[in-house]
Amino acid sequence: MVIAIIFGQLIWVFDPWRFGGLYLIDYIPQLIAACAVIPLLWTIGAVHACLRERRGKLSWLLIAVRVIMIILSLIAVYTLWTNPRQLLQLGFSFAAALAAVWADLIITDGLERRAFPGKGVIWSISSAVILALLLWPTNYLVTYPGITMNMQRYVQVDDGHPQGEIAGVLIFQRPAFPVDWLYAAVFPHYTFEKQEELGMPLDQYNQMVRRMKHDANTIAAAIALEKAGLGRGVIHIGVLVIDVVKDGPAEGVLQPGDLIVGANDVEVHRTDELMQVISGLEPGDHLEVVVVREGETRHLTLQTAAREDDPTRPMAGIQITDEVVYDVPLDIQYTQYLLHEGGPSHGGVLTLTIIDQLTPGGVTQGNYVAATGTIRADGSIGPIGGIRQKAFTVARSGVDVFFVPAGQEEEARLGAKNLQIVPVQTIDEILEWLAQHAKQTEDG
Protein backbone atom coordinates (compact mmCIF):
# COMPACT_ATOMS: atom_id res chain seq x y z
CA MET A 1 0.00 0.00 0.00
CA VAL A 2 2.83 2.38 0.87
CA ILE A 3 4.46 1.71 -2.50
CA ALA A 4 1.18 2.45 -4.29
CA ILE A 5 0.81 5.77 -2.43
CA ILE A 6 4.36 6.88 -3.21
CA PHE A 7 3.92 5.86 -6.86
CA GLY A 8 0.72 7.89 -7.04
CA GLN A 9 2.35 10.96 -5.52
CA LEU A 10 5.30 10.71 -7.92
CA ILE A 11 3.32 9.67 -10.99
CA TRP A 12 4.55 12.79 -12.80
CA VAL A 13 8.08 11.37 -12.91
CA PHE A 14 6.96 8.81 -15.49
CA ASP A 15 5.09 11.27 -17.73
CA PRO A 16 7.59 11.31 -20.65
CA TRP A 17 7.07 7.59 -21.19
CA ARG A 18 4.78 6.69 -24.09
CA PHE A 19 3.10 3.31 -24.34
CA GLY A 20 1.50 2.25 -27.61
CA GLY A 21 1.26 5.86 -28.73
CA LEU A 22 -0.74 6.80 -25.62
CA TYR A 23 0.20 9.29 -22.92
CA LEU A 24 0.51 8.32 -19.28
CA ILE A 25 -2.78 10.07 -18.48
CA ASP A 26 -4.59 7.64 -20.77
CA TYR A 27 -3.56 4.76 -18.49
CA ILE A 28 -4.61 6.38 -15.20
CA PRO A 29 -7.98 4.51 -15.06
CA GLN A 30 -6.17 1.18 -15.40
CA LEU A 31 -3.58 2.14 -12.79
CA ILE A 32 -6.29 3.17 -10.35
CA ALA A 33 -8.24 -0.02 -11.00
CA ALA A 34 -5.05 -1.99 -10.31
CA CYS A 35 -4.98 -0.51 -6.80
CA ALA A 36 -7.92 -2.81 -6.06
CA VAL A 37 -5.28 -5.51 -5.57
CA ILE A 38 -4.63 -4.07 -2.08
CA PRO A 39 -8.15 -4.51 -0.62
CA LEU A 40 -8.49 -7.77 -2.55
CA LEU A 41 -5.42 -9.12 -0.76
CA TRP A 42 -6.92 -8.03 2.55
CA THR A 43 -10.12 -9.89 1.67
CA ILE A 44 -8.27 -13.04 0.60
CA GLY A 45 -6.13 -12.92 3.73
CA ALA A 46 -9.17 -12.57 5.99
CA VAL A 47 -11.05 -15.43 4.29
CA HIS A 48 -7.98 -17.67 4.34
CA ALA A 49 -7.38 -16.98 8.03
CA CYS A 50 -10.98 -17.84 8.90
CA LEU A 51 -10.90 -21.07 6.90
CA ARG A 52 -7.55 -22.10 8.34
CA GLU A 53 -8.80 -21.70 11.87
CA ARG A 54 -12.35 -22.96 11.34
CA ARG A 55 -11.77 -26.10 13.43
CA GLY A 56 -10.01 -24.27 16.19
CA LYS A 57 -11.36 -22.02 18.84
CA LEU A 58 -11.79 -18.74 16.97
CA SER A 59 -12.66 -15.57 18.86
CA TRP A 60 -16.04 -14.16 17.93
CA LEU A 61 -14.49 -10.72 18.14
CA LEU A 62 -11.86 -11.75 15.59
CA ILE A 63 -14.56 -13.19 13.32
CA ALA A 64 -16.51 -9.92 13.50
CA VAL A 65 -13.38 -7.88 12.71
CA ARG A 66 -12.59 -10.04 9.69
CA VAL A 67 -16.16 -9.89 8.38
CA ILE A 68 -16.06 -6.10 8.66
CA MET A 69 -12.67 -6.08 6.92
CA ILE A 70 -14.02 -8.17 4.05
CA ILE A 71 -17.11 -5.98 3.60
CA LEU A 72 -15.15 -2.73 3.67
CA SER A 73 -12.44 -4.10 1.37
CA LEU A 74 -15.04 -5.19 -1.18
CA ILE A 75 -16.65 -1.72 -1.00
CA ALA A 76 -13.23 -0.22 -1.78
CA VAL A 77 -12.76 -2.62 -4.71
CA TYR A 78 -16.21 -1.81 -6.06
CA THR A 79 -15.60 1.94 -5.79
CA LEU A 80 -12.21 1.71 -7.50
CA TRP A 81 -13.68 -0.27 -10.38
CA THR A 82 -16.92 1.66 -10.86
CA ASN A 83 -16.50 5.26 -9.73
CA PRO A 84 -13.06 6.23 -8.40
CA ARG A 85 -14.16 9.88 -8.32
CA GLN A 86 -16.14 9.07 -5.16
CA LEU A 87 -13.17 10.10 -3.02
CA LEU A 88 -15.07 10.33 0.26
CA GLN A 89 -16.50 6.81 -0.03
CA LEU A 90 -13.19 5.47 -1.28
CA GLY A 91 -11.18 7.08 1.49
CA PHE A 92 -13.58 5.94 4.22
CA SER A 93 -13.69 2.34 3.01
CA PHE A 94 -9.90 2.13 2.71
CA ALA A 95 -9.30 3.74 6.12
CA ALA A 96 -11.90 1.60 7.88
CA ALA A 97 -10.67 -1.60 6.22
CA LEU A 98 -7.10 -0.75 7.21
CA ALA A 99 -8.24 -0.15 10.79
CA ALA A 100 -9.80 -3.61 10.70
CA VAL A 101 -6.49 -5.04 9.46
CA TRP A 102 -4.71 -3.45 12.43
CA ALA A 103 -7.36 -4.76 14.82
CA ASP A 104 -6.90 -8.25 13.33
CA LEU A 105 -3.13 -8.05 13.88
CA ILE A 106 -3.51 -6.96 17.51
CA ILE A 107 -6.24 -9.48 18.40
CA THR A 108 -4.45 -12.38 16.70
CA ASP A 109 -1.17 -11.50 18.41
CA GLY A 110 -2.93 -11.31 21.79
CA LEU A 111 -4.60 -14.71 21.32
CA GLU A 112 -1.35 -16.36 20.28
CA ARG A 113 0.69 -14.84 23.11
CA ARG A 114 -2.11 -14.96 25.67
CA ALA A 115 -0.58 -11.70 26.85
CA PHE A 116 -0.28 -8.09 25.79
CA PRO A 117 -0.10 -8.05 21.95
CA GLY A 118 3.09 -6.01 21.79
CA LYS A 119 4.13 -7.16 18.31
CA GLY A 120 0.71 -6.38 16.79
CA VAL A 121 0.59 -2.97 18.46
CA ILE A 122 4.09 -2.05 17.26
CA TRP A 123 3.29 -3.10 13.67
CA SER A 124 0.04 -1.17 13.70
CA ILE A 125 1.52 2.00 15.20
CA SER A 126 4.51 1.87 12.84
CA SER A 127 2.33 1.56 9.76
CA ALA A 128 0.03 4.33 11.05
CA VAL A 129 3.01 6.68 11.48
CA ILE A 130 4.26 5.91 7.96
CA LEU A 131 0.81 6.56 6.50
CA ALA A 132 0.54 9.82 8.46
CA LEU A 133 3.82 10.98 6.92
CA LEU A 134 2.46 10.12 3.49
CA LEU A 135 -1.13 11.33 3.80
CA TRP A 136 -1.66 13.64 6.79
CA PRO A 137 -2.69 17.05 5.36
CA THR A 138 -0.93 20.16 6.63
CA ASN A 139 -2.06 23.80 6.40
CA TYR A 140 0.13 24.31 3.32
CA LEU A 141 -0.61 23.83 -0.36
CA VAL A 142 2.01 22.17 -2.53
CA THR A 143 2.32 22.75 -6.27
CA TYR A 144 4.55 20.43 -8.26
CA PRO A 145 5.10 19.15 -11.82
CA GLY A 146 2.31 17.25 -13.51
CA ILE A 147 1.56 15.36 -16.68
CA THR A 148 0.91 16.16 -20.31
CA MET A 149 -2.31 15.42 -22.14
CA ASN A 150 -2.74 14.55 -25.81
CA MET A 151 -5.25 17.18 -26.85
CA GLN A 152 -6.14 15.25 -30.00
CA ARG A 153 -7.51 12.52 -27.73
CA TYR A 154 -9.09 14.96 -25.30
CA VAL A 155 -11.33 16.52 -27.95
CA GLN A 156 -12.98 14.90 -30.97
CA VAL A 157 -14.81 17.18 -33.40
CA ASP A 158 -17.51 15.79 -35.67
CA ASP A 159 -16.07 15.76 -39.21
CA GLY A 160 -12.70 16.79 -37.79
CA HIS A 161 -9.41 14.94 -38.30
CA PRO A 162 -6.45 15.15 -35.89
CA GLN A 163 -3.39 16.46 -37.68
CA GLY A 164 -0.46 17.72 -35.59
CA GLU A 165 0.71 16.64 -32.16
CA ILE A 166 -0.57 19.09 -29.54
CA ALA A 167 -0.13 18.72 -25.80
CA GLY A 168 -1.97 20.27 -22.92
CA VAL A 169 -0.44 20.21 -19.46
CA LEU A 170 -1.82 19.57 -15.99
CA ILE A 171 0.06 20.18 -12.76
CA PHE A 172 -0.69 19.00 -9.26
CA GLN A 173 -1.83 21.28 -6.45
CA ARG A 174 -3.19 19.85 -3.23
CA PRO A 175 -2.79 20.03 0.56
CA ALA A 176 0.84 19.26 1.38
CA PHE A 177 1.70 16.09 3.27
CA PRO A 178 4.83 15.81 5.47
CA VAL A 179 6.54 13.64 2.84
CA ASP A 180 6.26 16.44 0.28
CA TRP A 181 9.12 18.32 1.93
CA LEU A 182 11.26 15.22 1.34
CA TYR A 183 10.17 15.10 -2.30
CA ALA A 184 11.05 18.81 -2.58
CA ALA A 185 14.59 18.06 -1.43
CA VAL A 186 14.99 15.44 -4.16
CA PHE A 187 12.92 16.76 -7.09
CA PRO A 188 12.78 20.26 -8.60
CA HIS A 189 9.96 22.81 -8.71
CA TYR A 190 8.02 21.90 -5.59
CA THR A 191 6.59 25.09 -4.11
CA PHE A 192 4.65 25.58 -0.88
CA GLU A 193 2.28 28.29 0.26
CA LYS A 194 -0.03 28.78 3.21
CA GLN A 195 -3.43 27.27 2.56
CA GLU A 196 -6.29 29.75 2.62
CA GLU A 197 -9.93 29.06 3.33
CA LEU A 198 -11.94 28.23 0.21
CA GLY A 199 -14.74 30.48 1.37
CA MET A 200 -17.26 27.83 0.38
CA PRO A 201 -18.02 24.13 1.00
CA LEU A 202 -15.69 21.72 -0.82
CA ASP A 203 -18.45 20.25 -2.98
CA GLN A 204 -19.47 23.76 -4.06
CA TYR A 205 -15.85 24.55 -4.93
CA ASN A 206 -15.59 21.35 -6.99
CA GLN A 207 -18.77 22.28 -8.85
CA MET A 208 -17.31 25.73 -9.54
CA VAL A 209 -14.08 24.43 -11.09
CA ARG A 210 -16.00 21.88 -13.16
CA ARG A 211 -18.18 24.73 -14.41
CA MET A 212 -15.06 26.70 -15.31
CA LYS A 213 -13.83 23.73 -17.31
CA HIS A 214 -17.17 23.40 -19.10
CA ASP A 215 -17.23 27.12 -19.91
CA ALA A 216 -13.66 26.97 -21.24
CA ASN A 217 -14.64 24.06 -23.49
CA THR A 218 -17.63 25.99 -24.84
CA ILE A 219 -15.76 29.25 -25.46
CA ALA A 220 -12.88 27.41 -27.13
CA ALA A 221 -15.24 25.48 -29.39
CA ALA A 222 -17.17 28.58 -30.45
CA ILE A 223 -14.01 30.57 -31.24
CA ALA A 224 -12.32 27.69 -33.06
CA LEU A 225 -15.35 26.88 -35.22
CA GLU A 226 -15.74 30.53 -36.20
CA LYS A 227 -12.08 30.69 -37.26
CA ALA A 228 -12.63 27.53 -39.28
CA GLY A 229 -15.55 29.21 -41.06
CA LEU A 230 -18.24 27.38 -39.11
CA GLY A 231 -20.70 29.25 -36.91
CA ARG A 232 -20.73 32.80 -35.58
CA GLY A 233 -18.48 32.21 -32.58
CA VAL A 234 -19.18 34.11 -29.38
CA ILE A 235 -22.22 36.34 -29.83
CA HIS A 236 -22.68 39.31 -27.48
CA ILE A 237 -26.38 39.92 -26.85
CA GLY A 238 -26.32 42.57 -24.14
CA VAL A 239 -25.08 43.62 -20.72
CA LEU A 240 -26.21 41.57 -17.74
CA VAL A 241 -26.80 43.28 -14.39
CA ILE A 242 -25.13 41.18 -11.71
CA ASP A 243 -25.81 43.42 -8.73
CA VAL A 244 -27.26 46.82 -7.86
CA VAL A 245 -25.37 49.06 -5.42
CA LYS A 246 -27.38 49.76 -2.29
CA ASP A 247 -28.57 53.39 -2.17
CA GLY A 248 -27.11 53.88 -5.64
CA PRO A 249 -28.72 55.52 -8.68
CA ALA A 250 -30.08 52.23 -10.05
CA GLU A 251 -31.65 50.99 -6.82
CA GLY A 252 -35.36 50.51 -7.35
CA VAL A 253 -34.97 50.84 -11.11
CA LEU A 254 -32.75 47.96 -12.19
CA GLN A 255 -32.37 44.56 -10.57
CA PRO A 256 -29.98 41.61 -10.87
CA GLY A 257 -30.79 39.56 -13.94
CA ASP A 258 -31.82 42.51 -16.09
CA LEU A 259 -30.35 42.40 -19.58
CA ILE A 260 -29.50 45.89 -20.87
CA VAL A 261 -29.77 46.02 -24.67
CA GLY A 262 -29.93 49.79 -25.19
CA ALA A 263 -28.93 53.07 -23.53
CA ASN A 264 -29.86 56.63 -24.59
CA ASP A 265 -31.03 55.47 -28.02
CA VAL A 266 -27.83 53.47 -28.62
CA GLU A 267 -27.90 49.67 -29.07
CA VAL A 268 -25.79 47.97 -26.42
CA HIS A 269 -24.22 44.54 -26.87
CA ARG A 270 -21.11 44.77 -24.67
CA THR A 271 -20.13 46.32 -21.37
CA ASP A 272 -17.65 48.67 -23.04
CA GLU A 273 -20.45 50.04 -25.23
CA LEU A 274 -22.58 50.81 -22.17
CA MET A 275 -19.64 52.36 -20.35
CA GLN A 276 -18.98 54.58 -23.36
CA VAL A 277 -22.53 55.91 -23.20
CA ILE A 278 -22.27 56.56 -19.45
CA SER A 279 -18.88 58.24 -19.78
CA GLY A 280 -20.42 60.78 -22.15
CA LEU A 281 -22.76 62.01 -19.42
CA GLU A 282 -22.33 64.43 -16.54
CA PRO A 283 -23.09 63.41 -12.96
CA GLY A 284 -26.81 63.95 -12.43
CA ASP A 285 -27.74 63.33 -16.08
CA HIS A 286 -30.47 60.84 -16.85
CA LEU A 287 -29.71 57.46 -18.38
CA GLU A 288 -32.50 55.82 -20.33
CA VAL A 289 -32.01 52.08 -20.66
CA VAL A 290 -33.82 49.36 -22.55
CA VAL A 291 -33.81 46.13 -20.56
CA VAL A 292 -35.16 42.64 -21.00
CA ARG A 293 -36.62 41.35 -17.73
CA GLU A 294 -38.23 37.91 -17.56
CA GLY A 295 -38.68 37.95 -21.34
CA GLU A 296 -40.35 41.36 -21.35
CA THR A 297 -38.77 44.52 -22.83
CA ARG A 298 -38.93 47.60 -20.58
CA HIS A 299 -37.83 51.23 -20.95
CA LEU A 300 -36.47 52.58 -17.68
CA THR A 301 -34.79 55.79 -16.57
CA LEU A 302 -32.32 56.43 -13.77
CA GLN A 303 -30.40 59.51 -12.67
CA THR A 304 -26.64 59.08 -12.57
CA ALA A 305 -24.56 60.20 -9.59
CA ALA A 306 -20.97 61.31 -9.10
CA ARG A 307 -18.34 58.67 -8.45
CA GLU A 308 -16.80 58.79 -4.98
CA ASP A 309 -13.28 58.41 -6.34
CA ASP A 310 -13.80 61.05 -9.07
CA PRO A 311 -16.76 63.46 -8.59
CA THR A 312 -16.44 64.67 -12.18
CA ARG A 313 -17.41 61.28 -13.57
CA PRO A 314 -20.91 59.72 -13.51
CA MET A 315 -21.91 56.30 -12.30
CA ALA A 316 -25.01 54.15 -12.59
CA GLY A 317 -24.39 52.05 -9.47
CA ILE A 318 -24.54 48.59 -11.05
CA GLN A 319 -22.19 45.64 -11.43
CA ILE A 320 -22.33 44.27 -14.95
CA THR A 321 -20.87 41.65 -17.27
CA ASP A 322 -21.21 40.69 -20.91
CA GLU A 323 -24.06 38.31 -21.70
CA VAL A 324 -23.06 36.01 -24.54
CA VAL A 325 -24.27 32.95 -26.37
CA TYR A 326 -22.01 30.46 -28.10
CA ASP A 327 -22.61 29.21 -31.62
CA VAL A 328 -21.27 25.64 -31.79
CA PRO A 329 -22.88 24.00 -34.85
CA LEU A 330 -20.83 20.77 -34.74
CA ASP A 331 -20.97 17.96 -32.22
CA ILE A 332 -17.85 17.92 -30.05
CA GLN A 333 -16.94 15.17 -27.60
CA TYR A 334 -14.54 15.52 -24.68
CA THR A 335 -12.66 12.77 -22.88
CA GLN A 336 -13.32 12.81 -19.13
CA TYR A 337 -9.85 12.30 -17.71
CA LEU A 338 -9.74 11.41 -14.02
CA LEU A 339 -6.92 13.86 -13.34
CA HIS A 340 -8.60 16.72 -15.22
CA GLU A 341 -11.48 17.56 -12.94
CA GLY A 342 -11.85 21.25 -13.59
CA GLY A 343 -10.38 24.65 -14.31
CA PRO A 344 -10.06 26.81 -17.43
CA SER A 345 -6.30 26.80 -18.12
CA HIS A 346 -6.63 24.43 -21.09
CA GLY A 347 -8.85 26.83 -23.04
CA GLY A 348 -6.16 28.23 -25.32
CA VAL A 349 -4.64 24.91 -26.33
CA LEU A 350 -8.12 23.43 -26.79
CA THR A 351 -8.98 26.21 -29.24
CA LEU A 352 -5.80 25.47 -31.19
CA THR A 353 -6.56 21.74 -31.28
CA ILE A 354 -10.09 22.18 -32.64
CA ILE A 355 -8.79 24.51 -35.34
CA ASP A 356 -6.14 21.93 -36.19
CA GLN A 357 -8.74 19.17 -36.58
CA LEU A 358 -10.82 21.33 -38.93
CA THR A 359 -7.92 22.59 -41.06
CA PRO A 360 -6.75 20.41 -43.97
CA GLY A 361 -3.12 19.56 -43.24
CA GLY A 362 -3.39 21.04 -39.74
CA VAL A 363 -1.78 24.16 -38.34
CA THR A 364 1.26 22.93 -36.39
CA GLN A 365 3.59 22.84 -39.44
CA GLY A 366 5.29 19.70 -38.15
CA ASN A 367 5.98 21.14 -34.68
CA TYR A 368 5.23 19.23 -31.52
CA VAL A 369 3.27 21.98 -29.77
CA ALA A 370 2.30 22.59 -26.15
CA ALA A 371 0.32 25.55 -24.86
CA THR A 372 -1.41 26.82 -21.76
CA GLY A 373 -3.61 29.77 -20.87
CA THR A 374 -7.29 30.50 -20.56
CA ILE A 375 -9.34 31.56 -23.57
CA ARG A 376 -11.55 34.63 -23.38
CA ALA A 377 -14.59 35.41 -25.50
CA ASP A 378 -12.55 37.80 -27.67
CA GLY A 379 -9.92 35.15 -28.44
CA SER A 380 -7.34 36.54 -26.04
CA ILE A 381 -5.19 34.24 -23.89
CA GLY A 382 -5.42 34.76 -20.13
CA PRO A 383 -2.90 34.04 -17.33
CA ILE A 384 -2.80 30.83 -15.34
CA GLY A 385 -1.13 29.49 -12.22
CA GLY A 386 1.78 27.07 -11.87
CA ILE A 387 3.46 28.24 -15.06
CA ARG A 388 6.94 27.21 -13.86
CA GLN A 389 5.82 23.65 -13.15
CA LYS A 390 3.96 23.50 -16.46
CA ALA A 391 7.04 24.57 -18.41
CA PHE A 392 9.15 21.94 -16.64
CA THR A 393 6.54 19.28 -17.39
CA VAL A 394 6.23 19.97 -21.12
CA ALA A 395 10.00 20.33 -21.51
CA ARG A 396 10.42 16.76 -20.26
CA SER A 397 7.98 15.54 -22.92
CA GLY A 398 10.14 16.85 -25.77
CA VAL A 399 7.90 19.53 -27.28
CA ASP A 400 9.33 21.94 -29.85
CA VAL A 401 7.52 25.06 -28.63
CA PHE A 402 5.50 26.08 -25.60
CA PHE A 403 3.03 28.94 -25.92
CA VAL A 404 2.33 30.81 -22.67
CA PRO A 405 0.25 33.89 -21.77
CA ALA A 406 2.15 37.10 -22.40
CA GLY A 407 3.74 38.38 -19.21
CA GLN A 408 4.37 34.91 -17.79
CA GLU A 409 7.26 33.91 -20.07
CA GLU A 410 10.01 34.83 -17.59
CA GLU A 411 8.52 32.71 -14.83
CA ALA A 412 8.01 29.87 -17.33
CA ARG A 413 11.71 30.00 -18.24
CA LEU A 414 12.58 29.37 -14.60
CA GLY A 415 11.13 25.91 -15.11
CA ALA A 416 12.65 25.19 -18.54
CA LYS A 417 15.63 27.31 -19.55
CA ASN A 418 16.31 25.42 -22.78
CA LEU A 419 12.72 25.20 -23.98
CA GLN A 420 11.47 27.48 -26.77
CA ILE A 421 8.86 29.52 -24.93
CA VAL A 422 6.70 31.94 -26.91
CA PRO A 423 4.51 34.51 -25.13
CA VAL A 424 1.19 35.22 -26.85
CA GLN A 425 -1.78 37.48 -26.24
CA THR A 426 -4.30 35.87 -28.61
CA ILE A 427 -5.01 32.61 -30.39
CA ASP A 428 -4.26 34.39 -33.66
CA GLU A 429 -0.68 35.00 -32.50
CA ILE A 430 -0.24 31.26 -31.98
CA LEU A 431 -1.52 30.54 -35.47
CA GLU A 432 0.69 33.24 -36.99
CA TRP A 433 3.81 31.98 -35.23
CA LEU A 434 3.20 28.41 -36.38
CA ALA A 435 2.57 29.53 -39.95
CA GLN A 436 5.95 31.30 -39.94
CA HIS A 437 7.96 28.52 -38.24
CA ALA A 438 7.44 25.30 -40.15
CA LYS A 439 9.66 22.57 -38.72
CA GLN A 440 12.37 21.43 -41.08
CA THR A 441 12.34 17.69 -41.80
CA GLU A 442 15.19 15.48 -42.91
CA ASP A 443 13.87 15.72 -46.45
CA GLY A 444 14.02 19.52 -46.29
Side-chain angles (χ1 to χ4, degrees):
M1 183 175 180
V2 170
I3 294 174
I5 293 171
I6 295 175
F7 178 78
Q9 293 173 341
L10 297 178
I11 189 72
W12 65 268
V13 173
F14 307 97
D15 180 65
W17 296 4
R18 300 288 183 262
F19 310 92
L22 299 178
Y23 285 38
L24 178 62
I25 194 173
D26 296 305
Y27 289 97
I28 295 299
Q30 291 83 357
L31 292 173
I32 291 178
C35 292
V37 169
I38 298 169
L40 279 175
L41 288 176
W42 292 342
T43 300
I44 293 171
V47 172
H48 176 72
C50 288
L51 293 176
R52 183 187 60 191
E53 301 175 28
R54 65 185 185 277
R55 294 182 180 178
K57 188 176 180 181
L58 194 61
S59 164
W60 284 106
L61 177 60
L62 191 56
I63 292 175
V65 167
R66 288 173 178 170
V67 169
I68 293 172
M69 184 198 311
I70 292 170
I71 293 173
L72 293 170
S73 297
L74 291 177
I75 291 175
V77 171
Y78 177 79
T79 306
L80 281 168
W81 284 351
T82 59
N83 191 1
R85 284 188 169 89
Q86 293 289 334
L87 297 181
L88 186 61
Q89 177 178 315
L90 189 60
F92 172 79
S93 57
F94 255 99
L98 182 59
V101 171
W102 291 337
D104 189 327
L105 283 173
I106 294 171
I107 294 171
T108 300
D109 187 38
L111 291 175
E112 290 177 352
R113 290 171 176 264
R114 297 185 180 277
F116 179 76
K119 184 177 179 181
V121 169
I122 291 173
W123 272 102
S124 299
I125 292 177
S126 299
S127 58
V129 169
I130 293 173
L131 289 175
L133 291 173
L134 291 173
L135 295 174
W136 190 267
T138 67
N139 61 343
Y140 283 84
L141 278 178
V142 60
T143 302
Y144 59 99
I147 58 179
T148 48
M149 177 170 63
N150 184 349
M151 295 302 297
Q152 301 286 17
R153 286 181 59 82
Y154 173 72
V155 59
Q156 301 88 39
V157 183
D158 189 27
D159 294 330
H161 303 282
Q163 304 289 339
E165 188 168 6
I166 304 174
V169 56
L170 308 173
I171 60 169
F172 294 107
Q173 186 177 65
R174 55 167 173 76
F177 307 133
V179 73
D180 286 315
W181 278 270
L182 175 61
Y183 295 153
V186 177
F187 300 106
H189 305 299
Y190 273 69
T191 59
F192 300 86
E193 59 182 325
K194 272 283 189 179
Q195 187 171 352
E196 298 179 359
E197 293 291 333
L198 290 176
M200 64 185 75
L202 182 59
D203 59 342
Q204 185 178 342
Y205 174 79
N206 290 333
Q207 290 176 11
M208 181 186 72
V209 296
R210 291 189 187 107
R211 181 66 187 179
M212 293 168 68
K213 174 184 172 182
H214 175 270
D215 290 346
N217 288 349
T218 306
I219 296 171
I223 292 173
L225 291 180
E226 182 186 23
K227 291 190 177 298
L230 302 167
R232 296 185 295 160
V234 180
I235 306 167
H236 292 257
I237 61 173
V239 176
L240 183 67
V241 177
I242 300 175
D243 197 10
V244 177
V245 177
K246 184 176 177 57
D247 298 326
E251 187 177 33
V253 180
L254 298 176
Q255 60 187 42
D258 283 347
L259 182 65
I260 302 174
V261 295
N264 286 1
D265 299 322
V266 176
E267 285 191 8
V268 170
H269 302 97
R270 302 169 181 262
T271 55
D272 57 350
E273 295 173 346
L274 176 60
M275 295 307 297
Q276 186 174 2
V277 172
I278 295 175
S279 65
L281 302 176
E282 297 290 335
D285 287 349
H286 286 84
L287 177 67
E288 298 179 356
V289 293
V290 181
V291 305
V292 178
R293 179 184 297 171
E294 298 178 349
E296 191 177 305
T297 301
R298 303 188 183 193
H299 295 260
L300 307 172
T301 302
L302 61 90
Q303 185 177 16
T304 62
R307 293 171 60 101
E308 292 184 2
D309 58 341
D310 185 354
T312 65
R313 297 172 59 195
M315 73 166 187
I318 51 176
Q319 295 180 12
I320 54 177
T321 188
D322 287 331
E323 179 74 351
V324 298
V325 294
Y326 305 101
D327 187 18
V328 183
L330 293 182
D331 183 47
I332 300 179
Q333 300 295 323
Y334 301 95
T335 301
Q336 299 300 317
Y337 285 119
L338 280 172
L339 296 184
H340 187 205
E341 278 294 290
S345 65
H346 67 297
V349 71
L350 175 60
T351 307
L352 178 67
T353 306
I354 296 174
I355 294 172
D356 183 74
Q357 291 189 13
L358 294 171
T359 303
V363 298
T364 62
Q365 303 297 328
N367 291 287
Y368 179 13
V369 177
T372 189
T374 63
I375 188 72
R376 301 190 182 105
D378 61 357
S380 60
I381 304 296
I384 48 86
I387 189 70
R388 181 192 307 184
Q389 288 82 1
K390 289 189 174 184
F392 177 76
T393 300
V394 298
R396 296 177 69 237
S397 67
V399 301
D400 296 310
V401 60
F402 183 37
F403 296 103
V404 303
Q408 293 191 284
E409 62 272 17
E410 292 305 320
E411 186 181 354
R413 292 188 178 108
L414 295 176
K417 294 181 180 179
N418 298 321
L419 177 63
Q420 181 168 219
I421 295 173
V422 178
V424 292
Q425 293 181 324
T426 66
I427 188 67
D428 287 334
E429 290 184 9
I430 296 179
L431 296 171
E432 290 169 5
W433 190 97
L434 290 170
Q436 297 168 7
H437 295 81
K439 185 176 182 180
Q440 297 295 318
T441 63
E442 294 182 359
D443 296 331

